Amino acid sequence: MGKSYKRHIAKSITWRIIGTLDTILLSWLISGNPYTGIKIGLAEVVTKMLLYYLHERVWFKIRAGITENGDSKRRHISKTVTWRVVGTIDTMLLAWFISGNAMVGLQVGGAEVVTKMILYYLHERMWYQLDFGLDKRRKEGTST
């Protein structure tokens, strides 16, 4: 297994911890039931880990947003937006099915658009500073 795969697995795990805690809290506050929040958060651990890993692999293969000087802020913003679309749809469906209430699904999804985009962008910037899983520091998105 290449080092980039280890990096993407580690990023998936750290993001999922942050994302799950955010979903549990939002779902609890919106549904009024801490158990509903926990159920939604735990259900999305499985779906989001797979979806996030696939999202990372796609973005690793493309060079969108890479500049000659290595600046990646536009790339990270683009990744943030594409991930949020996928993640929000997943959360809305899970919250709806688990709570039995479509409005809870819409409210949880709507609330997390804001919190998750901020958290995801900060997560991306943190990982950009780390060399874990890279042979050497290089521009993200270039082939290994």
Side-chain angles (χ1 to χ4, degrees), residues 1 10 19 29 33 40 42-43 48 50 56 74 83 87 94 98 100 102 115 119 121 131 139 142 144:
M1 181 185 299
L29 293 173
N33 185 334
I40 294 167
L42 293 178
K48 292 289 195 311
L50 176 62
E56 277 298 303
R74 279 192 212 144
W83 171 244
L94 288 172
I98 291 170
T115 60
L119 293 169
Y121 179 80
D131 289 334
K139 296 175 192 152
T142 58
T144 51

Side-chain angles (χ1 to χ4, degrees), residues 52-131:
Y52 183 83
Y53 177 79
L54 294 172
H55 184 261
E56 277 298 303
R57 293 307 300 165
V58 168
W59 275 95
F60 185 73
K61 301 263 184 213
I62 62 175
R63 297 188 46 81
I66 302 289
T67 61
E68 288 183 28
N69 70 2
D71 185 16
S72 64
K73 288 181 182 175
R74 279 192 212 144
R75 177 181 176 84
H76 293 156
I77 289 170
S78 297
K79 282 179 71 175
T80 300
V81 171
T82 59
W83 171 244
R84 186 56 3 234
V85 169
V86 171
T88 297
I89 291 169
D90 182 57
T91 299
M92 284 179 167
L93 291 173
L94 288 172
W96 175 11
F97 296 143
I98 291 170
S99 72
N101 184 333
M103 193 51 103
V104 168
L106 288 171
Q107 289 174 334
V108 171
E112 80 164 21
V113 166
V114 176
T115 60
K116 293 273 192 333
M117 284 184 77
I118 293 167
L119 293 169
Y120 184 83
Y121 179 80
L122 295 172
H123 182 260
E124 277 295 304
R125 296 303 298 165
M126 180 202 72
W127 271 96
Y128 184 70
Q129 302 301 317
L130 299 175
D131 289 334

Side-chain angles (χ1 to χ4, degrees), residues 6-26:
K6 291 177 185 175
R7 178 179 180 84
H8 297 149
I9 289 169
K11 280 181 75 174
S12 298
I13 291 168
T14 59
W15 172 246
R16 186 48 15 226
I17 291 168
I18 293 165
T20 297
L21 292 174
D22 183 57
T23 298
I24 289 170
L25 182 60
L26 289 173

